[in-house]
Amino acid sequence: MSAASGGPPSVDGSAWADVIRLARHSPGRLDDRAPAWSSYGLAVFACRPSPAPWWPVR
């Protein structure tokens, strides 16, 4: 990524192509595990304690 021109950083085309190529050649079992892992992370995030009860004590 380069922002030398003063504009927003852009994605390097060859790096992006490598990532896409890797994703296309990944085993099918990863396609099943990725949504499960995302759901697990979302559940952990949703069930974590809220900082509101301990914030005034701090």
Side-chain angles (χ1 to χ4, degrees), residues 26-54:
S26 64
R29 64 181 177 264
L30 290 179
D31 290 339
D32 297 334
R33 291 184 183 168
W37 184 252
S38 296
S39 297
Y40 170 75
L42 183 60
V44 168
F45 181 75
C47 293
R48 69 177 171 68
S50 172
W54 61 266

Side-chain angles (χ1 to χ4, degrees), residues 1-10:
M1 293 186 194
S2 174
S5 63
S10 63

Side-chain angles (χ1 to χ4, degrees), residues 1 10-24:
M1 293 186 194
S10 63
V11 176
D12 181 26
S14 63
W16 182 256
D18 291 342
V19 169
I20 298 300
R21 192 174 306 112
L22 177 66
R24 284 189 183 136

